[in-house]
Short mmCIF file of all heavy atoms in Angstrom, two decimals:
data_model
loop_
_atom_site.label_atom_id
_atom_site.label_comp_id
_atom_site.label_asym_id
_atom_site.label_seq_id
_atom_site.Cartn_x
_atom_site.Cartn_y
_atom_site.Cartn_z
N CYS A 422 -25.91 60.97 -22.45
CA CYS A 422 -25.13 60.06 -21.64
C CYS A 422 -25.05 58.72 -22.36
O CYS A 422 -25.66 58.57 -23.42
CB CYS A 422 -25.76 59.89 -20.24
SG CYS A 422 -27.43 59.19 -20.32
N GLY A 423 -24.34 57.78 -21.80
CA GLY A 423 -24.23 56.45 -22.43
C GLY A 423 -25.05 55.44 -21.71
O GLY A 423 -25.14 55.45 -20.47
N ALA A 424 -25.65 54.51 -22.43
CA ALA A 424 -26.44 53.44 -21.85
C ALA A 424 -26.44 52.27 -22.77
O ALA A 424 -26.19 52.39 -23.96
CB ALA A 424 -27.87 53.88 -21.55
N THR A 425 -26.73 51.07 -22.24
CA THR A 425 -26.77 49.87 -23.05
C THR A 425 -28.21 49.35 -23.09
O THR A 425 -29.05 49.69 -22.22
CB THR A 425 -25.89 48.76 -22.48
OG1 THR A 425 -26.40 48.31 -21.22
CG2 THR A 425 -24.47 49.26 -22.29
N LEU A 426 -28.52 48.52 -24.07
CA LEU A 426 -29.82 47.89 -24.17
C LEU A 426 -30.11 47.08 -22.92
O LEU A 426 -31.25 47.02 -22.43
CB LEU A 426 -29.94 47.05 -25.43
CG LEU A 426 -31.26 46.35 -25.65
CD1 LEU A 426 -32.40 47.34 -25.82
CD2 LEU A 426 -31.16 45.44 -26.89
N GLU A 427 -29.09 46.41 -22.41
CA GLU A 427 -29.27 45.59 -21.20
C GLU A 427 -29.66 46.44 -20.01
O GLU A 427 -30.58 46.11 -19.24
CB GLU A 427 -27.95 44.82 -20.91
CG GLU A 427 -28.04 43.90 -19.73
CD GLU A 427 -26.76 43.05 -19.57
OE1 GLU A 427 -25.91 43.11 -20.47
OE2 GLU A 427 -26.67 42.36 -18.58
N GLU A 428 -29.02 47.58 -19.82
CA GLU A 428 -29.36 48.48 -18.71
C GLU A 428 -30.75 49.04 -18.84
O GLU A 428 -31.53 49.07 -17.88
CB GLU A 428 -28.33 49.61 -18.66
CG GLU A 428 -26.94 49.14 -18.27
CD GLU A 428 -25.86 50.21 -18.50
OE1 GLU A 428 -26.16 51.24 -19.19
OE2 GLU A 428 -24.73 50.05 -18.00
N LEU A 429 -31.10 49.49 -20.01
CA LEU A 429 -32.41 50.09 -20.26
C LEU A 429 -33.55 49.08 -20.07
O LEU A 429 -34.59 49.33 -19.48
CB LEU A 429 -32.49 50.73 -21.64
CG LEU A 429 -31.69 52.01 -21.83
CD1 LEU A 429 -31.64 52.40 -23.29
CD2 LEU A 429 -32.28 53.15 -21.03
N THR A 430 -33.35 47.86 -20.62
CA THR A 430 -34.39 46.84 -20.50
C THR A 430 -34.59 46.44 -19.05
O THR A 430 -35.72 46.23 -18.57
CB THR A 430 -34.02 45.61 -21.32
OG1 THR A 430 -33.77 46.02 -22.69
CG2 THR A 430 -35.18 44.63 -21.38
N GLY A 431 -33.50 46.34 -18.29
CA GLY A 431 -33.61 46.06 -16.85
C GLY A 431 -34.34 47.16 -16.10
O GLY A 431 -35.12 46.89 -15.16
N LEU A 432 -34.17 48.40 -16.53
CA LEU A 432 -34.84 49.53 -15.91
C LEU A 432 -36.34 49.48 -16.17
O LEU A 432 -37.16 49.76 -15.32
CB LEU A 432 -34.21 50.84 -16.38
CG LEU A 432 -34.53 52.10 -15.60
CD1 LEU A 432 -34.15 51.94 -14.12
CD2 LEU A 432 -33.78 53.26 -16.19
N TYR A 433 -36.70 49.16 -17.42
CA TYR A 433 -38.13 49.06 -17.76
C TYR A 433 -38.76 47.86 -17.10
O TYR A 433 -39.97 47.88 -16.79
CB TYR A 433 -38.30 49.00 -19.29
CG TYR A 433 -38.33 50.35 -19.94
CD1 TYR A 433 -37.15 51.04 -20.22
CD2 TYR A 433 -39.53 50.99 -20.26
CE1 TYR A 433 -37.15 52.28 -20.81
CE2 TYR A 433 -39.56 52.22 -20.87
CZ TYR A 433 -38.36 52.88 -21.14
OH TYR A 433 -38.39 54.14 -21.72
N ALA A 434 -38.02 46.80 -16.85
CA ALA A 434 -38.55 45.62 -16.11
C ALA A 434 -38.91 46.08 -14.69
O ALA A 434 -39.88 45.58 -14.12
CB ALA A 434 -37.56 44.50 -16.09
N ALA A 435 -38.13 46.98 -14.13
CA ALA A 435 -38.47 47.54 -12.81
C ALA A 435 -39.76 48.33 -12.88
O ALA A 435 -40.58 48.29 -11.94
CB ALA A 435 -37.32 48.42 -12.30
N LEU A 436 -39.95 49.07 -13.94
CA LEU A 436 -41.19 49.83 -14.12
C LEU A 436 -42.39 48.90 -14.21
O LEU A 436 -43.45 49.17 -13.68
CB LEU A 436 -41.10 50.67 -15.40
CG LEU A 436 -42.09 51.83 -15.58
CD1 LEU A 436 -41.98 52.81 -14.38
CD2 LEU A 436 -41.83 52.55 -16.87
N ALA A 437 -42.18 47.74 -14.87
CA ALA A 437 -43.25 46.76 -14.95
C ALA A 437 -43.54 46.06 -13.63
O ALA A 437 -44.61 45.48 -13.44
CB ALA A 437 -42.91 45.71 -16.00
N ASP A 438 -42.59 46.10 -12.71
CA ASP A 438 -42.70 45.41 -11.41
C ASP A 438 -42.89 46.39 -10.26
O ASP A 438 -42.36 46.16 -9.18
CB ASP A 438 -41.46 44.54 -11.18
CG ASP A 438 -41.65 43.54 -10.05
OD1 ASP A 438 -42.79 43.23 -9.70
OD2 ASP A 438 -40.64 43.08 -9.50
N GLY A 439 -43.59 47.46 -10.52
CA GLY A 439 -43.91 48.37 -9.44
C GLY A 439 -42.74 49.17 -8.92
O GLY A 439 -42.75 49.62 -7.75
N GLY A 440 -41.72 49.39 -9.74
CA GLY A 440 -40.57 50.21 -9.33
C GLY A 440 -39.47 49.43 -8.66
O GLY A 440 -38.46 50.01 -8.22
N ARG A 441 -39.57 48.10 -8.58
CA ARG A 441 -38.52 47.27 -7.94
C ARG A 441 -37.48 46.85 -8.97
O ARG A 441 -37.83 46.22 -9.96
CB ARG A 441 -39.11 46.03 -7.28
CG ARG A 441 -40.17 46.36 -6.22
CD ARG A 441 -40.51 45.11 -5.43
NE ARG A 441 -40.78 43.97 -6.29
CZ ARG A 441 -40.78 42.71 -5.86
NH1 ARG A 441 -40.49 42.48 -4.62
NH2 ARG A 441 -41.02 41.70 -6.71
N TYR A 442 -36.26 47.16 -8.72
CA TYR A 442 -35.15 46.81 -9.64
C TYR A 442 -34.35 45.64 -9.09
O TYR A 442 -34.08 45.58 -7.90
CB TYR A 442 -34.23 48.00 -9.88
CG TYR A 442 -32.99 47.63 -10.63
CD1 TYR A 442 -32.98 47.48 -12.00
CD2 TYR A 442 -31.80 47.39 -9.93
CE1 TYR A 442 -31.84 47.10 -12.69
CE2 TYR A 442 -30.64 47.00 -10.63
CZ TYR A 442 -30.68 46.88 -11.99
OH TYR A 442 -29.56 46.49 -12.64
N ALA A 443 -34.00 44.72 -9.98
CA ALA A 443 -33.06 43.64 -9.65
C ALA A 443 -32.22 43.37 -10.90
O ALA A 443 -32.71 43.50 -12.02
CB ALA A 443 -33.79 42.38 -9.21
N PRO A 444 -30.95 43.02 -10.77
CA PRO A 444 -30.11 42.74 -11.94
C PRO A 444 -30.69 41.61 -12.78
O PRO A 444 -31.30 40.66 -12.25
CB PRO A 444 -28.76 42.35 -11.32
CG PRO A 444 -28.78 42.93 -9.94
CD PRO A 444 -30.23 42.87 -9.49
N LEU A 445 -30.50 41.69 -14.05
CA LEU A 445 -30.94 40.65 -14.96
C LEU A 445 -30.12 39.37 -14.76
O LEU A 445 -28.91 39.40 -14.51
CB LEU A 445 -30.85 41.10 -16.40
CG LEU A 445 -31.66 42.34 -16.78
CD1 LEU A 445 -31.56 42.62 -18.25
CD2 LEU A 445 -33.13 42.20 -16.37
N ALA A 446 -30.77 38.22 -14.89
CA ALA A 446 -30.12 36.95 -14.72
C ALA A 446 -29.82 36.31 -16.06
O ALA A 446 -30.71 36.20 -16.90
CB ALA A 446 -31.00 36.01 -13.86
N LEU A 447 -28.58 35.88 -16.25
CA LEU A 447 -28.17 35.22 -17.52
C LEU A 447 -27.88 33.76 -17.32
O LEU A 447 -27.89 32.99 -18.31
CB LEU A 447 -26.93 35.94 -18.09
CG LEU A 447 -27.10 37.39 -18.48
CD1 LEU A 447 -25.76 37.95 -18.89
CD2 LEU A 447 -28.07 37.48 -19.66
N ILE A 448 -27.59 33.35 -16.09
CA ILE A 448 -27.33 31.92 -15.80
C ILE A 448 -28.43 31.39 -14.92
O ILE A 448 -29.01 32.10 -14.12
CB ILE A 448 -25.95 31.70 -15.16
CG1 ILE A 448 -25.82 32.49 -13.85
CG2 ILE A 448 -24.83 32.05 -16.13
CD1 ILE A 448 -24.57 32.21 -13.09
N LYS A 449 -28.68 30.10 -15.07
CA LYS A 449 -29.84 29.47 -14.43
C LYS A 449 -29.50 29.00 -13.03
O LYS A 449 -28.46 28.43 -12.79
CB LYS A 449 -30.31 28.27 -15.29
CG LYS A 449 -31.58 27.63 -14.78
CD LYS A 449 -31.97 26.46 -15.68
CE LYS A 449 -33.23 25.78 -15.15
NZ LYS A 449 -33.58 24.60 -15.96
N ASN A 450 -30.42 29.22 -12.12
CA ASN A 450 -30.32 28.71 -10.77
C ASN A 450 -31.63 28.04 -10.45
O ASN A 450 -32.66 28.69 -10.30
CB ASN A 450 -30.05 29.86 -9.78
CG ASN A 450 -28.65 30.42 -9.96
OD1 ASN A 450 -27.70 29.96 -9.40
ND2 ASN A 450 -28.55 31.43 -10.80
N GLU A 451 -31.62 26.73 -10.36
CA GLU A 451 -32.86 25.92 -10.28
C GLU A 451 -33.73 26.28 -9.10
O GLU A 451 -34.93 26.29 -9.20
CB GLU A 451 -32.46 24.43 -10.19
CG GLU A 451 -31.74 23.92 -11.42
CD GLU A 451 -32.68 23.66 -12.59
OE1 GLU A 451 -33.89 23.80 -12.44
OE2 GLU A 451 -32.16 23.32 -13.66
#
Side-chain angles (χ1 to χ4, degrees):
C422 61
T425 68
L426 180 62
E427 183 174 352
E428 293 168 346
L429 288 170
T430 307
L432 196 55
Y433 275 81
L436 197 58
D438 193 22
R441 301 190 314 161
Y442 170 79
L445 300 184
L447 296 174
I448 58 173
K449 185 180 178 184
N450 291 272
E451 296 283 355

